[in-house]
Amino acid sequence: METRNLVKRFGSFVANDRLNLQIGKGEIHAILGENGAGKSTLMNMLSGLLTPDEGEIIYKGRPVRFGSPREAMESGIGMVHQHFMLIPALTVAENVILGMKQGSGPWYRHTKACEDIKRISHSFGLDVDPEKRVSELSVGQQQRVEIVKTLYRGAEFIIMDEPTAVLTPPEVEDLFRVLRSLKAQGKTIVFISHKLKEVEAICDRVTVLRAGQLAASSAMTDSNAAELARVMVGRDIAPPAARPPLEGRAELLSVSGLSCRLSGVQVLQDLSLDLREGEILGIAGVDGNGQRELCEALMGLSAGQVSGSIRVRGEPVAKPHPRAMTEAGVGYIPEDRHREGLMLPMSIGENLIAKEYRKPTFSRWFTLSRKRIRQAAKAAVEDYRIKTPSIDHAVSKLSGGNQQKVILARELMLRPKVLLAMQPTRGMDVGAADDVHQRLLAERKDGCGILLVSTELEEVFALADRIAVMYKGRIVHTVDRAEADMELIGLRMAGL
Amino acid sequence: MPGNKLAARAVTVSIETLFYLIAIAVSLLAGALVMAAAGVSPWEAYQLIWKGAAGSSGALKETLVKATPLLFAGLSYTFAYRCGLFNIGAEGQIYIGALMGTMSALLLPSMPIYIHLPLALFCGLLGGALWGGIAGALKVGRGASEIINTIMLNYVAIFLISYMVTGPMKEAGGSLPQSASLPDSAVLPQLLGSRLHYGFFLAILTAIIIYWVLERTTWGYQIRSAGYNKRAAEVMGMPVKRNMLLVMMVSGSLAGLGGYVEIAGVQHRLMQNFSPGFGYDGIAVALLGNTHPIGNVLSALLFGGMRSGANAMQRVTGASTSLVYVIQAIMIIVMVCNRYWLGGTKKRLREWLIRKLDKTTGTIEAGAAGSLEI
């Protein structure tokens, strides 16, 4: 596969500018780049979702032009999207077959489909049960179904868009095992990511895009993570420096005996923690061990039965409610920014005021001040370097990292005393994640106590003053960062 | 550069207008085919419809009269829709509003008009709020779908009114299923001897108030937030459940007010089946008006005009008014296609135009018009 001078424009914006790219057969090729660098545009052209404005794509020595994903698929190019394209109510086999002809005639041959799927999944070490409904599968398993789907359609060339973004560390290991076995059998894989560690671990060659242009392309053996990060961002990313602990700190948040039952499952068990002024308490743990339920219980958003006591700045909170917590000075960055953090069709300004619209700054006599809202939006766009065509644009038009900046701007506008930050950099590139980290550290310096929930251990280690490990709804291990041992924490996360 | 952004915006607006006009032209053309098939000369029929809708001051007034209940019903659907709720029950709310208004008009002791009329209008509003509130309370308290409940409450309301006007409220000594006629103190005054009554201006005023509430007030902001993302609104600490109940009540009250306005402005007495489906047509008005209060005014006028034009056509040619309903239905289908299917075409056209302009005038910010999803 090769591309020559590939150009794609949206209006007068050039998303891909004369890209020349060579991808050899049987290699795992990483495409790195920040959000908005043009990775998705490039991949959408390779997989037939978009057609290039200029230049050509050469596949197996012949120039090709795909009018649709189906045409690309017929040539053997398959794509695994970041957000899976599966129908939860159908079985694995039905999902794999969907939209395909199976031999001749209009019938769906269930047994044959299941056999084929078993055979394919077996030969690549993908363990999927074709009879199961997709809704019963874990995220990692669903991703395997997506891979099987492309293989079943005869893909030789598989494009994977940020495949690890949704996976837990053990699932990532599994995925890598599968990728190696695909490679061993001569499949070519394009691996889009912005996680350098993973690229380093699995890829043979790496291509870096920056602002729509090719910034570098080299064999992985000739490069290293630090250099790639520099090329990708266009500046040096220094790891956050060690910080002196603050003395004489008051207690901001104290939780004791917090339990929560959600549809018959004990999701939190007798959990206690405390958070002091100017401290970042990192909650480490594999996704789904009660982190989400902890934050929801603290914010009064839990659908389950919650018991235990919560004190904010010494004041007991009898019945937590999002507004009461906001008024008590607690900010909250929810895990799922699309579902819980933003009203996507609204503008930046209208999203910024979502917690403060009642205050005299933004409304008087129940009437919103449009001027003040625009001013706040303008200030946030400048202050947080939010990339947007104009401040009146809907938040849905922003990239994920910029959307997260809108949320961060909103929460920090409240001048919170306590900040619950759940996965604040999930799905963000190195540069944008670094911006978020710097903001959090600045808040800490001002005396804010931050509860940082992250499934990325490195992030916890980089930011936290103390680290607590959650496992099955309990805190099983708490340690100062200075004395923390990554290996021990890894074991505790696994419940050992 | 604001000038360029303005130019890009002008391109967007003109493309939208162009497609709207094409959509109307296409539906009129399709309507012409239907008319020809029914043996009516389309050219003659359209002339008659136009004359009947806007050909004279009398025709215009008739259009406004017909538009009034449609506008109230459209606003009712719009208000709930913006909160993410589907109020299919405007029809029933219209009937209950008419019932409550009529009862207060007939049963209260005689009063001057400046007290009695507002009171009766308020009772109509209250009736609609009650009917919408039942569905709202079921939704908030029990999670029951407001769509199903409002539809079912329509039947309850329609049959309740049938019972009332054939039983307890039947005009003394009369034989028709209708109430006694309203006292003058509860009737909306008419303008200069025509059928046009002050209810139309009340409807326009209501549209402006609804626009203001939705777009400019903190409460409207909460409603829109919940409409776009209910869960996020909850996480932000907004009172989503309380608002859902209130919105259903306000939505119902708009339809209820429309119901009594129709009685007090046009019929002057409560009758069986006085609404030929205003509540359901209101949904079409709201969708055609882009669920925007001011858009509702325009689409209600269009629909009102077609109604009064249809009557004129029937009087002259004898062709059934149903033909106009066919055109109206085609129009809705075409508009929906325009909105949901042609997005890509419009986007490409916009990009092409902007590139063209780009070459002639220098630079133009594509970002202001096109969406950049990279």
Side-chain angles (χ1 to χ4, degrees):
Chain A
M1 164 79 84
E2 207 181 326
T3 69
R4 286 194 190 140
N5 287 323
L6 215 54
V7 177
K8 181 73 194 175
R9 296 190 197 88
F10 294 103
S12 64
F13 178 87
V14 185
N16 276 179
D17 190 6
R18 296 184 305 267
L19 291 184
N20 289 300
L21 193 68
Q22 280 106 31
I23 302 167
K25 185 173 160 56
E27 68 178 19
I28 301 183
H29 193 114
I31 307 275
L32 272 172
E34 298 200 78
N35 295 331
K39 292 174 302 202
S40 305
T41 308
L42 175 62
M43 292 310 120
N44 286 339
M45 284 196 286
L46 296 185
S47 64
L49 274 169
L50 293 173
T51 49
D53 292 332
E54 281 171 36
E56 58 185 356
I57 301 169
I58 292 157
Y59 181 60
K60 288 184 177 167
R62 272 192 321 225
V64 286
R65 201 171 175 84
F66 303 127
S68 71
R70 182 182 285 262
E71 285 174 34
M73 196 68 248
E74 278 160 9
S75 315
I77 298 178
M79 178 136 180
V80 175
H81 292 269
Q82 188 182 356
H83 302 285
F84 303 141
M85 309 284 173
L86 297 172
I87 298 169
L90 297 183
T91 65
V92 170
E94 284 162 343
N95 264 291
V96 170
I97 299 295
L98 201 69
M100 280 187 75
K101 260 200 164 167
Q102 224 183 338
S104 61
W107 290 280
Y108 165 52
R109 295 182 195 139
H110 180 73
T111 327
K112 182 165 185 308
C114 288
E115 275 169 18
D116 287 347
I117 289 164
K118 273 196 186 130
R119 187 169 42 73
I120 292 172
S121 54
H122 207 73
S123 66
F124 293 99
L126 288 152
D127 170 35
V128 289
D129 179 358
E131 311 266 4
K132 269 215 165 128
R133 279 181 204 285
V134 166
S135 54
E136 296 166 26
L137 301 181
S138 72
V139 174
Q141 286 170 317
Q142 290 184 26
Q143 188 172 54
R144 290 173 177 195
V145 176
E146 282 281 3
I147 298 175
V148 169
K149 223 164 100 179
T150 61
L151 292 171
Y152 189 88
R153 285 159 166 75
E156 293 291 318
F157 188 99
I158 302 172
I159 302 168
M160 304 189 80
D161 191 4
E162 304 201 9
T164 60
V166 290
L167 301 182
T168 59
E171 283 176 326
V172 170
E173 278 311 310
D174 266 4
L175 174 69
F176 284 2
R177 195 173 45 71
V178 170
L179 292 185
R180 285 193 194 101
S181 104
L182 287 170
K183 178 183 150 187
Q185 298 187 39
K187 308 275 182 198
T188 311
I189 294 157
V190 172
F191 186 93
I192 303 173
S193 181
H194 47 237
K195 289 190 189 161
L196 296 165
K197 283 260 149 51
E198 289 168 1
V199 169
E200 212 173 13
I202 186 94
C203 296
D204 303 313
R205 280 185 71 81
V206 55
T207 296
V208 184
L209 297 184
R210 193 171 71 223
Q213 290 178 324
L214 197 79
S217 188
S218 68
M220 199 61 236
T221 45
D222 301 340
S223 195
N224 63 54
E227 193 189 324
L228 289 173
R230 197 170 41 70
V231 176
M232 190 164 125
V233 183
R235 60 184 154 100
D236 280 306
I237 297 282
R243 304 163 301 272
L246 299 172
E247 295 300 327
R249 307 159 307 167
E251 191 167 77
L252 289 179
L253 175 72
S254 147
V255 176
S256 67
L258 192 68
S259 296
C260 177
R261 269 183 92 77
L262 187 64
S263 39
V265 182
Q266 195 75 32
V267 287
L268 290 177
Q269 273 183 52
D270 195 23
L271 185 144
S272 300
L273 58 83
D274 58 301
L275 183 67
R276 294 179 168 274
E277 225 167 42
E279 176 183 62
I280 299 182
L281 174 61
I283 305 273
V286 178
D287 213 359
N289 272 295
Q291 297 98 319
R292 182 189 178 81
E293 286 77 9
L294 169 63
C295 286
E296 287 188 346
L298 289 178
M299 290 306 287
L301 289 163
S302 178
Q305 298 149 282
V306 181
S307 62
S309 84
I310 300 167
R311 295 165 82 88
V312 178
R313 289 198 277 169
E315 296 287 317
V317 181
K319 201 171 177 301
H321 178 273
R323 199 195 303 164
M325 293 310 268
T326 305
E327 275 158 15
V330 181
Y332 176 44
I333 299 175
E335 180 182 28
D336 186 335
R337 49 183 167 257
H338 286 178
R339 210 173 79 80
E340 307 199 303
L342 294 167
M343 278 74 76
L344 287 174
M346 285 183 155
S347 69
I348 294 174
E350 286 193 305
N351 272 288
L352 276 178
I353 62 161
K355 286 190 175 175
E356 284 187 291
Y357 61 95
R358 289 160 199 274
K359 291 197 182 155
T361 336
F362 295 119
S363 64
R364 212 159 273 176
W365 294 106
F366 306 108
T367 306
L368 296 170
S369 162
R370 292 184 163 193
K371 203 173 114 199
R372 296 257 181 83
I373 294 170
R374 279 179 65 90
Q375 278 170 355
K378 216 169 184 172
V381 165
E382 279 166 18
D383 199 13
Y384 289 80
R385 285 183 285 154
I386 298 169
K387 280 182 213 145
T388 173
S390 86
I391 61 166
D392 299 317
H393 259 61
V395 171
S396 59
K397 299 273 166 74
L398 305 182
S399 70
N402 286 308
Q403 289 173 345
Q404 188 73 338
K405 285 182 186 173
V406 174
I407 295 179
L408 194 67
R410 176 180 67 217
E411 299 306 321
L412 297 187
M413 205 165 79
L414 298 165
R415 311 288 324 144
K417 290 284 170 290
V418 177
L419 182 64
L420 308 182
M422 250 204 118
Q423 308 273 20
T425 60
R426 174 178 269 191
M428 290 169 80
D429 58 70
V430 183
D434 186 51
D435 283 348
V436 172
H437 290 164
Q438 296 307 332
R439 287 278 171 186
L440 294 181
L441 291 174
E443 284 301 306
R444 170 192 178 271
K445 212 172 160 197
D446 288 349
C448 178
I450 300 174
L451 192 70
L452 172 76
V453 177
S454 177
T455 50
E456 280 174 50
L457 208 47
E458 279 150 43
E459 183 172 38
V460 172
F461 262 81
L463 295 177
D465 299 295
R466 276 191 305 142
I467 298 171
V469 182
M470 267 189 95
Y471 178 72
K472 292 206 168 156
R474 295 171 198 265
I475 287 184
V476 292
H477 184 65
T478 313
V479 66
D480 275 353
R481 185 187 51 160
E483 292 143 28
D485 172 17
M486 211 179 225
E487 213 163 296
L488 182 63
I489 286 177
L491 287 173
R492 291 282 181 270
M493 279 166 67
L496 298 167
Chain B
M1 283 167 283
N4 289 331
K5 260 184 204 165
L6 218 63
R9 187 154 172 75
V11 169
T12 313
V13 170
S14 41
I15 287 176
E16 280 301 329
T17 318
L18 179 73
F19 273 73
Y20 250 83
L21 293 178
I22 292 175
I24 290 176
V26 166
S27 37
L28 292 181
L29 209 69
L33 292 177
V34 175
M35 285 179 182
V40 182
S41 152
W43 179 242
E44 196 189 341
Y46 275 133
Q47 271 181 329
L48 285 168
I49 291 176
W50 175 254
K51 251 193 216 148
S56 63
S57 80
L60 265 175
K61 282 178 190 158
E62 189 58 28
T63 294
L64 302 187
V65 170
K66 295 260 191 261
T68 303
L70 294 174
L71 179 51
F72 276 114
L75 290 172
S76 164
Y77 185 80
T78 297
F79 197 73
Y81 182 87
R82 295 297 291 272
C83 189
L85 294 165
F86 295 92
N87 178 14
I88 315 294
E91 187 74 2
Q93 291 145 12
I94 283 172
Y95 274 99
I96 297 296
L99 175 68
M100 297 271 284
T102 309
M103 281 168 70
S104 69
L106 292 175
L107 301 179
L108 291 173
S110 71
M111 278 180 267
I113 184 166
Y114 54 85
I115 298 177
H116 202 181
L117 180 61
L119 198 65
L121 286 169
F122 183 71
C123 283
L125 194 136
L126 222 55
L130 171 79
W131 223 237
I134 295 173
L138 287 169
K139 169 88 176 176
V140 172
R142 290 267 164 263
S145 161
E146 78 282 11
I147 303 176
I148 309 287
N149 282 324
T150 49
I151 291 175
M152 295 202 292
L153 283 169
N154 285 345
Y155 293 102
V156 178
I158 291 167
F159 291 119
L160 179 65
I161 271 65
S162 290
Y163 166 72
M164 293 305 269
V165 294
T166 50
M169 281 177 73
K170 192 172 171 190
E171 188 180 16
S175 58
L176 293 167
Q178 59 186 28
S179 74
S181 73
L182 303 183
D184 284 346
S185 61
V187 162
L188 280 162
Q190 289 169 329
L191 267 77
L192 315 162
S194 70
R195 267 164 50 88
L196 180 60
H197 53 86
Y198 279 100
F200 174 72
F201 305 102
L202 188 61
I204 297 286
L205 183 68
T206 309
I208 295 168
I209 292 172
I210 292 299
Y211 169 78
W212 178 266
V213 168
L214 277 175
E215 301 294 331
R216 298 296 180 88
T217 67
T218 52
W219 190 50
Y221 172 72
Q222 290 176 354
I223 291 170
R224 285 183 293 127
S225 298
Y228 289 132
N229 190 342
K230 188 172 154 227
R231 175 68 183 169
E234 275 168 357
V235 172
M236 299 304 133
M238 297 179 191
V240 173
K241 286 200 160 169
R242 191 182 75 196
N243 279 344
M244 277 173 25
L245 175 60
L246 288 176
V247 164
M248 279 307 282
M249 289 175 72
V250 171
S251 171
S253 73
L254 294 172
L257 180 60
Y260 183 67
V261 164
E262 180 68 7
I263 295 297
V266 180
Q267 315 286 0
H268 295 176
R269 60 172 84 222
L270 184 61
M271 290 186 291
Q272 208 173 10
N273 303 329
F274 74 90
S275 158
F278 292 136
Y280 299 111
D281 290 334
I283 299 171
V285 167
L287 292 178
L288 205 57
N290 215 359
T291 59
H292 188 285
I294 307 304
N296 268 282
V297 174
L298 299 177
S299 58
L301 286 175
L302 178 69
F303 277 35
M306 304 238 311
R307 299 275 147 102
S308 66
N311 287 341
M313 181 186 75
Q314 188 176 30
R315 276 197 298 274
V316 178
T317 64
S320 163
T321 48
S322 311
L323 272 180
V324 170
Y325 290 91
V326 173
I327 299 174
Q328 205 168 287
I330 293 171
M331 199 174 275
I332 293 165
I333 294 169
V334 173
M335 291 289 181
V336 169
C337 291
N338 175 30
R339 173 117 60 97
Y340 294 104
W341 283 357
L342 301 179
T345 318
K346 280 189 253 186
K347 200 169 148 190
R348 273 196 293 280
L349 187 64
R350 186 164 53 212
E351 280 167 11
W352 180 79
L353 270 174
I354 286 173
R355 262 210 300 282
K356 270 282 215 215
L357 276 173
D358 205 10
K359 275 174 195 150
T360 51
T361 64
T363 51
I364 190 165
E365 267 179 68
S371 55
L372 300 177
E373 270 136 331
I374 311 145

